Amino acid sequence: VSRQPRASWPRASQIPVKDGAFYGSNFDVPLSARGEAEAAAAAAHIASVHPQEVCAVWSSTMSRAKYGANCIAKAVGVDGVAEYDAFRELDRGLWANKTVAEVEAEFGGPGVCDRCAREDDFGRLVAKGEGMGDLRKRVLDQRDALLTSVPPGRAAVIVSHLWVTRALIGDVTGERDPLAIDIPTASVSVVDYPADGGAPTVVSTGFKPALSKEDEARLADVKLEAET
């Protein structure tokens, strides 16, 4: 029974960052070796679970998302990836490449990072970057425009980032606190959008496919921060 079009959102994998630093969309850092392995695992999972459904792969214009998107397109047999600035990670403004401790010291003390996540305008007004309300609007507007191109019974894959995926899932679940939505790196979240325009349904969130034993052994000493 099809309640589709369906959209699946793998979050971009791990990147090499300074401990606790905010990067967002301000630094286009490529994936690490572990990140590439995670992206390949996510692509294999999507191809195994939705082998005939995927008709489009859409990506952020950031290199770490594009890598995963191209892995998925190849795995599911889709010709090419469409890239959209609207799916880029949150613009961190003056917070870019600063640790949590540095941000707290300069911008308002403990709790300031949570306020940026939970208050729509905070990131724009205080960090001089992008507020969560700004991100939410651009992401959902682009999603809505693209979903009209997906035929009933088919699926599209959006490859994006932590805060983008939180906005997409929160819009469907009604969860307004992004910090309450757990999205691990290289995880896959799935939503069904009814063809009749009814309420969408979250099928799964934050499923992280396991790496192969060979990749785990090869990357055993690689421990990296997730993007923020």
Side-chain angles (χ1 to χ4, degrees), residues 12 24-30 57-70 81-90 138-139 142 146 158-161 164 227:
S25 65
N26 306 80
F27 294 87
D28 194 6
V29 182
V57 180
W58 306 321
S59 175
S60 154
T61 54
M62 304 192 74
S63 63
R64 53 191 184 265
K66 290 192 291 183
Y67 183 93
N70 282 300
V81 173
E83 301 171 12
Y84 298 92
D85 283 334
F87 295 138
R88 290 174 68 88
E89 184 57 292
L90 185 69
R138 65 167 162 88
V139 168
Q142 186 68 74
L146 290 172
I158 300 174
V159 187
S160 59
H161 309 276
V164 174
E227 65 180 349

mmCIF file of all heavy atoms in Angstrom, residues 12 24-30 57-70 81-90 138-139 142 146 158-161 164 227:
data_model
loop_
_atom_site.group_PDB
_atom_site.id
_atom_site.type_symbol
_atom_site.label_atom_id
_atom_site.label_comp_id
_atom_site.label_asym_id
_atom_site.label_seq_id
_atom_site.Cartn_x
_atom_site.Cartn_y
_atom_site.Cartn_z
ATOM 1 N N ALA A 12 24.548 13.987 6.522
ATOM 2 C CA ALA A 12 25.950 13.870 6.122
ATOM 3 C C ALA A 12 26.791 13.298 7.257
ATOM 4 O O ALA A 12 26.509 13.507 8.428
ATOM 5 C CB ALA A 12 26.497 15.230 5.693
ATOM 6 N N GLY A 24 28.951 24.417 10.777
ATOM 7 C CA GLY A 24 27.775 24.737 9.998
ATOM 8 C C GLY A 24 28.059 24.788 8.512
ATOM 9 O O GLY A 24 28.791 23.973 7.954
ATOM 10 N N SER A 25 27.488 25.790 7.842
ATOM 11 C CA SER A 25 27.701 25.951 6.404
ATOM 12 C C SER A 25 28.886 26.861 6.108
ATOM 13 O O SER A 25 29.186 27.137 4.945
ATOM 14 C CB SER A 25 26.442 26.540 5.753
ATOM 15 O OG SER A 25 26.207 27.856 6.230
ATOM 16 N N ASN A 26 29.568 27.325 7.148
ATOM 17 C CA ASN A 26 30.624 28.315 6.970
ATOM 18 C C ASN A 26 31.941 27.724 6.480
ATOM 19 O O ASN A 26 32.777 28.441 5.956
ATOM 20 C CB ASN A 26 30.856 29.068 8.274
ATOM 21 C CG ASN A 26 29.573 29.676 8.821
ATOM 22 O OD1 ASN A 26 28.780 28.969 9.446
ATOM 23 N ND2 ASN A 26 29.354 30.958 8.568
ATOM 24 N N PHE A 27 32.120 26.422 6.667
ATOM 25 C CA PHE A 27 33.325 25.755 6.208
ATOM 26 C C PHE A 27 32.921 24.504 5.436
ATOM 27 O O PHE A 27 32.263 23.625 5.978
ATOM 28 C CB PHE A 27 34.217 25.361 7.385
ATOM 29 C CG PHE A 27 34.781 26.538 8.136
ATOM 30 C CD1 PHE A 27 34.058 27.120 9.171
ATOM 31 C CD2 PHE A 27 36.014 27.068 7.797
ATOM 32 C CE1 PHE A 27 34.568 28.212 9.857
ATOM 33 C CE2 PHE A 27 36.527 28.152 8.489
ATOM 34 C CZ PHE A 27 35.798 28.739 9.519
ATOM 35 N N ASP A 28 33.316 24.427 4.170
ATOM 36 C CA ASP A 28 32.957 23.269 3.356
ATOM 37 C C ASP A 28 34.038 22.209 3.501
ATOM 38 O O ASP A 28 34.885 22.022 2.627
ATOM 39 C CB ASP A 28 32.782 23.682 1.898
ATOM 40 C CG ASP A 28 32.078 22.602 1.089
ATOM 41 O OD1 ASP A 28 31.626 21.602 1.697
ATOM 42 O OD2 ASP A 28 31.970 22.751 -0.140
ATOM 43 N N VAL A 29 34.004 21.534 4.626
ATOM 44 C CA VAL A 29 35.032 20.551 4.966
ATOM 45 C C VAL A 29 34.656 19.192 4.372
ATOM 46 O O VAL A 29 33.535 18.729 4.549
ATOM 47 C CB VAL A 29 35.168 20.427 6.494
ATOM 48 C CG1 VAL A 29 36.273 19.445 6.855
ATOM 49 C CG2 VAL A 29 35.436 21.791 7.104
ATOM 50 N N PRO A 30 35.567 18.542 3.657
ATOM 51 C CA PRO A 30 35.250 17.232 3.078
ATOM 52 C C PRO A 30 35.129 16.155 4.153
ATOM 53 O O PRO A 30 35.592 16.327 5.280
ATOM 54 C CB PRO A 30 36.441 16.960 2.155
ATOM 55 C CG PRO A 30 37.562 17.737 2.755
ATOM 56 C CD PRO A 30 36.936 18.983 3.321
ATOM 57 N N VAL A 57 17.503 12.027 -6.355
ATOM 58 C CA VAL A 57 18.393 12.275 -5.221
ATOM 59 C C VAL A 57 18.714 13.761 -5.214
ATOM 60 O O VAL A 57 19.228 14.304 -6.199
ATOM 61 C CB VAL A 57 19.690 11.451 -5.307
ATOM 62 C CG1 VAL A 57 20.587 11.753 -4.108
ATOM 63 C CG2 VAL A 57 19.379 9.956 -5.368
ATOM 64 N N TRP A 58 18.396 14.427 -4.100
ATOM 65 C CA TRP A 58 18.620 15.861 -3.943
ATOM 66 C C TRP A 58 19.620 16.080 -2.816
ATOM 67 O O TRP A 58 19.590 15.400 -1.803
ATOM 68 C CB TRP A 58 17.302 16.566 -3.608
ATOM 69 C CG TRP A 58 16.201 16.296 -4.591
ATOM 70 C CD1 TRP A 58 16.302 16.201 -5.950
ATOM 71 C CD2 TRP A 58 14.822 16.065 -4.284
ATOM 72 N NE1 TRP A 58 15.073 15.946 -6.513
ATOM 73 C CE2 TRP A 58 14.135 15.859 -5.509
ATOM 74 C CE3 TRP A 58 14.082 16.038 -3.101
ATOM 75 C CZ2 TRP A 58 12.779 15.610 -5.574
ATOM 76 C CZ3 TRP A 58 12.720 15.793 -3.163
ATOM 77 C CH2 TRP A 58 12.082 15.586 -4.392
ATOM 78 N N SER A 59 20.471 17.065 -2.977
ATOM 79 C CA SER A 59 21.559 17.251 -2.021
ATOM 80 C C SER A 59 21.766 18.714 -1.681
ATOM 81 O O SER A 59 21.488 19.613 -2.478
ATOM 82 C CB SER A 59 22.860 16.690 -2.614
ATOM 83 O OG SER A 59 23.974 16.944 -1.773
ATOM 84 N N SER A 60 22.300 18.942 -0.508
ATOM 85 C CA SER A 60 22.919 20.210 -0.174
ATOM 86 C C SER A 60 24.070 20.464 -1.154
ATOM 87 O O SER A 60 24.622 19.526 -1.745
ATOM 88 C CB SER A 60 23.467 20.134 1.263
ATOM 89 O OG SER A 60 24.540 21.020 1.473
ATOM 90 N N THR A 61 24.451 21.710 -1.321
ATOM 91 C CA THR A 61 25.577 22.033 -2.200
ATOM 92 C C THR A 61 26.925 21.884 -1.498
ATOM 93 O O THR A 61 27.959 22.175 -2.092
ATOM 94 C CB THR A 61 25.451 23.476 -2.730
ATOM 95 O OG1 THR A 61 25.307 24.373 -1.617
ATOM 96 C CG2 THR A 61 24.250 23.619 -3.647
ATOM 97 N N MET A 62 26.933 21.413 -0.262
ATOM 98 C CA MET A 62 28.182 21.230 0.472
ATOM 99 C C MET A 62 28.799 19.874 0.138
ATOM 100 O O MET A 62 28.102 18.878 -0.037
ATOM 101 C CB MET A 62 27.935 21.377 1.966
ATOM 102 C CG MET A 62 27.296 22.712 2.322
ATOM 103 S SD MET A 62 27.304 23.080 4.088
ATOM 104 C CE MET A 62 29.047 23.489 4.307
ATOM 105 N N SER A 63 30.133 19.846 0.061
ATOM 106 C CA SER A 63 30.819 18.663 -0.444
ATOM 107 C C SER A 63 30.545 17.417 0.382
ATOM 108 O O SER A 63 30.447 16.316 -0.161
ATOM 109 C CB SER A 63 32.327 18.915 -0.522
ATOM 110 O OG SER A 63 32.884 19.155 0.757
ATOM 111 N N ARG A 64 30.412 17.560 1.692
ATOM 112 C CA ARG A 64 30.204 16.383 2.527
ATOM 113 C C ARG A 64 28.839 15.743 2.278
ATOM 114 O O ARG A 64 28.685 14.531 2.415
ATOM 115 C CB ARG A 64 30.400 16.708 4.002
ATOM 116 C CG ARG A 64 29.606 17.873 4.566
ATOM 117 C CD ARG A 64 30.135 18.198 5.960
ATOM 118 N NE ARG A 64 29.398 19.247 6.655
ATOM 119 C CZ ARG A 64 29.748 20.520 6.656
ATOM 120 N NH1 ARG A 64 30.810 20.909 5.953
ATOM 121 N NH2 ARG A 64 29.068 21.415 7.346
ATOM 122 N N ALA A 65 27.844 16.539 1.905
ATOM 123 C CA ALA A 65 26.551 15.975 1.543
ATOM 124 C C ALA A 65 26.573 15.433 0.116
ATOM 125 O O ALA A 65 25.995 14.372 -0.171
ATOM 126 C CB ALA A 65 25.454 17.024 1.694
ATOM 127 N N LYS A 66 27.234 16.147 -0.782
ATOM 128 C CA LYS A 66 27.278 15.706 -2.178
ATOM 129 C C LYS A 66 27.955 14.347 -2.320
ATOM 130 O O LYS A 66 27.563 13.540 -3.163
ATOM 131 C CB LYS A 66 27.987 16.750 -3.039
ATOM 132 C CG LYS A 66 27.194 18.027 -3.218
ATOM 133 C CD LYS A 66 27.769 18.928 -4.300
ATOM 134 C CE LYS A 66 29.092 19.528 -3.929
ATOM 135 N NZ LYS A 66 29.589 20.468 -4.975
ATOM 136 N N TYR A 67 28.966 14.086 -1.484
ATOM 137 C CA TYR A 67 29.627 12.782 -1.540
ATOM 138 C C TYR A 67 28.609 11.672 -1.262
ATOM 139 O O TYR A 67 28.513 10.694 -2.008
ATOM 140 C CB TYR A 67 30.767 12.710 -0.534
ATOM 141 C CG TYR A 67 31.527 11.401 -0.601
ATOM 142 C CD1 TYR A 67 32.651 11.275 -1.390
ATOM 143 C CD2 TYR A 67 31.090 10.287 0.118
ATOM 144 C CE1 TYR A 67 33.343 10.068 -1.470
ATOM 145 C CE2 TYR A 67 31.763 9.074 0.044
ATOM 146 C CZ TYR A 67 32.890 8.976 -0.747
ATOM 147 O OH TYR A 67 33.550 7.762 -0.828
ATOM 148 N N GLY A 68 27.853 11.829 -0.173
ATOM 149 C CA GLY A 68 26.855 10.822 0.163
ATOM 150 C C GLY A 68 25.771 10.716 -0.883
ATOM 151 O O GLY A 68 25.293 9.615 -1.202
ATOM 152 N N ALA A 69 25.350 11.857 -1.436
ATOM 153 C CA ALA A 69 24.303 11.842 -2.454
ATOM 154 C C ALA A 69 24.743 11.072 -3.692
ATOM 155 O O ALA A 69 23.963 10.299 -4.275
ATOM 156 C CB ALA A 69 23.931 13.275 -2.830
ATOM 157 N N ASN A 70 25.985 11.263 -4.097
ATOM 158 C CA ASN A 70 26.480 10.530 -5.262
ATOM 159 C C ASN A 70 26.605 9.040 -4.986
ATOM 160 O O ASN A 70 26.358 8.219 -5.873
ATOM 161 C CB ASN A 70 27.815 11.123 -5.710
ATOM 162 C CG ASN A 70 27.626 12.414 -6.480
ATOM 163 O OD1 ASN A 70 26.979 12.450 -7.521
ATOM 164 N ND2 ASN A 70 28.187 13.500 -5.972
ATOM 165 N N VAL A 81 22.631 13.878 -9.480
ATOM 166 C CA VAL A 81 22.167 14.454 -8.222
ATOM 167 C C VAL A 81 21.849 15.920 -8.454
ATOM 168 O O VAL A 81 22.641 16.643 -9.055
ATOM 169 C CB VAL A 81 23.246 14.332 -7.128
ATOM 170 C CG1 VAL A 81 22.838 15.085 -5.867
ATOM 171 C CG2 VAL A 81 23.528 12.863 -6.810
ATOM 172 N N ALA A 82 20.692 16.384 -7.990
ATOM 173 C CA ALA A 82 20.337 17.801 -8.060
ATOM 174 C C ALA A 82 20.739 18.465 -6.752
ATOM 175 O O ALA A 82 20.427 17.950 -5.672
ATOM 176 C CB ALA A 82 18.843 17.970 -8.315
ATOM 177 N N GLU A 83 21.418 19.604 -6.838
ATOM 178 C CA GLU A 83 21.956 20.275 -5.653
ATOM 179 C C GLU A 83 21.188 21.564 -5.369
ATOM 180 O O GLU A 83 20.837 22.302 -6.292
ATOM 181 C CB GLU A 83 23.439 20.601 -5.869
ATOM 182 C CG GLU A 83 24.288 19.368 -6.141
ATOM 183 C CD GLU A 83 25.700 19.732 -6.577
ATOM 184 O OE1 GLU A 83 26.075 20.928 -6.446
ATOM 185 O OE2 GLU A 83 26.426 18.838 -7.049
ATOM 186 N N TYR A 84 20.958 21.829 -4.060
ATOM 187 C CA TYR A 84 20.178 22.993 -3.650
ATOM 188 C C TYR A 84 20.828 23.679 -2.454
ATOM 189 O O TYR A 84 21.097 23.043 -1.430
ATOM 190 C CB TYR A 84 18.745 22.575 -3.293
ATOM 191 C CG TYR A 84 18.011 21.971 -4.459
ATOM 192 C CD1 TYR A 84 18.039 20.593 -4.670
ATOM 193 C CD2 TYR A 84 17.324 22.773 -5.365
ATOM 194 C CE1 TYR A 84 17.390 20.026 -5.758
ATOM 195 C CE2 TYR A 84 16.675 22.214 -6.458
ATOM 196 C CZ TYR A 84 16.709 20.848 -6.646
ATOM 197 O OH TYR A 84 16.074 20.287 -7.732
ATOM 198 N N ASP A 85 21.037 24.984 -2.577
ATOM 199 C CA ASP A 85 21.568 25.764 -1.455
ATOM 200 C C ASP A 85 20.640 25.715 -0.245
ATOM 201 O O ASP A 85 21.090 25.848 0.895
ATOM 202 C CB ASP A 85 21.768 27.222 -1.868
ATOM 203 C CG ASP A 85 23.014 27.428 -2.717
ATOM 204 O OD1 ASP A 85 23.963 26.622 -2.596
ATOM 205 O OD2 ASP A 85 23.031 28.383 -3.510
ATOM 206 N N ALA A 86 19.356 25.538 -0.486
ATOM 207 C CA ALA A 86 18.374 25.541 0.601
ATOM 208 C C ALA A 86 18.600 24.414 1.597
ATOM 209 O O ALA A 86 18.129 24.488 2.740
ATOM 210 C CB ALA A 86 16.958 25.444 0.041
ATOM 211 N N PHE A 87 19.324 23.366 1.207
ATOM 212 C CA PHE A 87 19.581 22.242 2.100
ATOM 213 C C PHE A 87 20.957 22.326 2.774
ATOM 214 O O PHE A 87 21.397 21.368 3.407
ATOM 215 C CB PHE A 87 19.456 20.923 1.346
ATOM 216 C CG PHE A 87 18.062 20.639 0.836
ATOM 217 C CD1 PHE A 87 17.867 20.112 -0.437
ATOM 218 C CD2 PHE A 87 16.955 20.924 1.613
ATOM 219 C CE1 PHE A 87 16.593 19.861 -0.908
ATOM 220 C CE2 PHE A 87 15.671 20.681 1.140
ATOM 221 C CZ PHE A 87 15.490 20.141 -0.125
ATOM 222 N N ARG A 88 21.638 23.482 2.653
ATOM 223 C CA ARG A 88 22.914 23.652 3.336
ATOM 224 C C ARG A 88 22.717 23.711 4.855
ATOM 225 O O ARG A 88 21.619 24.002 5.330
ATOM 226 C CB ARG A 88 23.612 24.938 2.875
ATOM 227 C CG ARG A 88 24.133 24.878 1.449
ATOM 228 C CD ARG A 88 24.672 26.216 0.998
ATOM 229 N NE ARG A 88 25.886 26.595 1.710
ATOM 230 C CZ ARG A 88 27.112 26.259 1.337
ATOM 231 N NH1 ARG A 88 27.297 25.530 0.251
ATOM 232 N NH2 ARG A 88 28.175 26.657 2.029
ATOM 233 N N GLU A 89 23.787 23.443 5.577
ATOM 234 C CA GLU A 89 23.725 23.477 7.031
ATOM 235 C C GLU A 89 23.521 24.910 7.524
ATOM 236 O O GLU A 89 23.675 25.885 6.783
ATOM 237 C CB GLU A 89 25.005 22.862 7.616
ATOM 238 C CG GLU A 89 25.043 22.734 9.129
ATOM 239 C CD GLU A 89 23.893 21.932 9.713
ATOM 240 O OE1 GLU A 89 22.743 22.425 9.632
ATOM 241 O OE2 GLU A 89 24.125 20.843 10.268
ATOM 242 N N LEU A 90 23.181 25.043 8.797
ATOM 243 C CA LEU A 90 22.946 26.331 9.438
ATOM 244 C C LEU A 90 24.170 27.240 9.333
ATOM 245 O O LEU A 90 25.294 26.827 9.610
ATOM 246 C CB LEU A 90 22.612 26.097 10.917
ATOM 247 C CG LEU A 90 22.211 27.306 11.761
ATOM 248 C CD1 LEU A 90 20.850 27.828 11.337
ATOM 249 C CD2 LEU A 90 22.195 26.920 13.241
ATOM 250 N N ARG A 138 13.589 28.140 4.676
ATOM 251 C CA ARG A 138 14.205 27.819 3.391
ATOM 252 C C ARG A 138 14.160 26.326 3.098
ATOM 253 O O ARG A 138 13.950 25.899 1.950
ATOM 254 C CB ARG A 138 15.637 28.355 3.328
ATOM 255 C CG ARG A 138 16.635 27.733 4.302
ATOM 256 C CD ARG A 138 18.067 28.125 3.903
ATOM 257 N NE ARG A 138 19.050 27.949 4.942
ATOM 258 C CZ ARG A 138 19.733 26.829 5.180
ATOM 259 N NH1 ARG A 138 19.485 25.741 4.465
ATOM 260 N NH2 ARG A 138 20.657 26.791 6.140
ATOM 261 N N VAL A 139 14.341 25.513 4.148
ATOM 262 C CA VAL A 139 14.328 24.068 3.971
ATOM 263 C C VAL A 139 12.938 23.575 3.595
ATOM 264 O O VAL A 139 12.764 22.809 2.634
ATOM 265 C CB VAL A 139 14.823 23.361 5.252
ATOM 266 C CG1 VAL A 139 14.539 21.861 5.197
ATOM 267 C CG2 VAL A 139 16.306 23.614 5.456
ATOM 268 N N GLN A 142 11.777 24.649 0.051
ATOM 269 C CA GLN A 142 12.407 23.850 -1.002
ATOM 270 C C GLN A 142 11.848 22.446 -1.039
ATOM 271 O O GLN A 142 11.594 21.890 -2.114
ATOM 272 C CB GLN A 142 13.915 23.807 -0.790
ATOM 273 C CG GLN A 142 14.684 23.125 -1.926
ATOM 274 C CD GLN A 142 14.630 23.914 -3.201
ATOM 275 O OE1 GLN A 142 15.287 24.931 -3.338
ATOM 276 N NE2 GLN A 142 13.834 23.459 -4.165
ATOM 277 N N LEU A 146 9.888 20.641 -4.266
ATOM 278 C CA LEU A 146 10.414 19.436 -4.897
ATOM 279 C C LEU A 146 9.463 18.248 -4.809
ATOM 280 O O LEU A 146 9.412 17.419 -5.728
ATOM 281 C CB LEU A 146 11.752 19.073 -4.260
ATOM 282 C CG LEU A 146 12.917 20.009 -4.580
ATOM 283 C CD1 LEU A 146 14.130 19.659 -3.732
ATOM 284 C CD2 LEU A 146 13.271 19.952 -6.059
ATOM 285 N N ILE A 158 16.803 13.135 0.123
ATOM 286 C CA ILE A 158 17.463 14.409 0.385
ATOM 287 C C ILE A 158 18.673 14.136 1.276
ATOM 288 O O ILE A 158 18.522 13.571 2.364
ATOM 289 C CB ILE A 158 16.527 15.398 1.102
ATOM 290 C CG1 ILE A 158 15.285 15.687 0.257
ATOM 291 C CG2 ILE A 158 17.270 16.700 1.419
ATOM 292 C CD1 ILE A 158 14.255 16.541 0.983
ATOM 293 N N VAL A 159 19.849 14.529 0.826
ATOM 294 C CA VAL A 159 21.059 14.356 1.629
ATOM 295 C C VAL A 159 21.454 15.729 2.159
ATOM 296 O O VAL A 159 21.765 16.634 1.389
ATOM 297 C CB VAL A 159 22.207 13.745 0.810
ATOM 298 C CG1 VAL A 159 23.400 13.432 1.728
ATOM 299 C CG2 VAL A 159 21.738 12.470 0.116
ATOM 300 N N SER A 160 21.414 15.870 3.473
ATOM 301 C CA SER A 160 21.627 17.198 4.048
ATOM 302 C C SER A 160 22.478 17.116 5.307
ATOM 303 O O SER A 160 23.483 16.408 5.338
ATOM 304 C CB SER A 160 20.278 17.882 4.316
ATOM 305 O OG SER A 160 19.492 17.112 5.208
ATOM 306 N N HIS A 161 22.050 17.801 6.374
ATOM 307 C CA HIS A 161 22.877 17.988 7.559
ATOM 308 C C HIS A 161 22.002 17.933 8.818
ATOM 309 O O HIS A 161 20.780 17.846 8.731
ATOM 310 C CB HIS A 161 23.614 19.331 7.473
ATOM 311 C CG HIS A 161 24.325 19.513 6.176
ATOM 312 N ND1 HIS A 161 25.583 19.007 5.933
ATOM 313 C CD2 HIS A 161 23.944 20.134 5.016
ATOM 314 C CE1 HIS A 161 25.951 19.308 4.702
ATOM 315 N NE2 HIS A 161 24.982 19.997 4.121
ATOM 316 N N VAL A 164 19.246 20.740 9.311
ATOM 317 C CA VAL A 164 18.276 20.629 8.216
ATOM 318 C C VAL A 164 17.341 19.446 8.461
ATOM 319 O O VAL A 164 16.117 19.556 8.351
ATOM 320 C CB VAL A 164 18.998 20.483 6.871
ATOM 321 C CG1 VAL A 164 18.007 20.212 5.741
ATOM 322 C CG2 VAL A 164 19.826 21.729 6.567
ATOM 323 N N GLU A 227 29.577 17.070 12.827
ATOM 324 C CA GLU A 227 29.434 18.471 12.459
ATOM 325 C C GLU A 227 28.406 19.147 13.363
ATOM 326 O O GLU A 227 27.499 18.512 13.881
ATOM 327 C CB GLU A 227 29.002 18.596 11.001
ATOM 328 C CG GLU A 227 27.632 18.028 10.712
ATOM 329 C CD GLU A 227 27.229 18.174 9.264
ATOM 330 O OE1 GLU A 227 27.907 18.882 8.524
ATOM 331 O OE2 GLU A 227 26.214 17.582 8.899
#
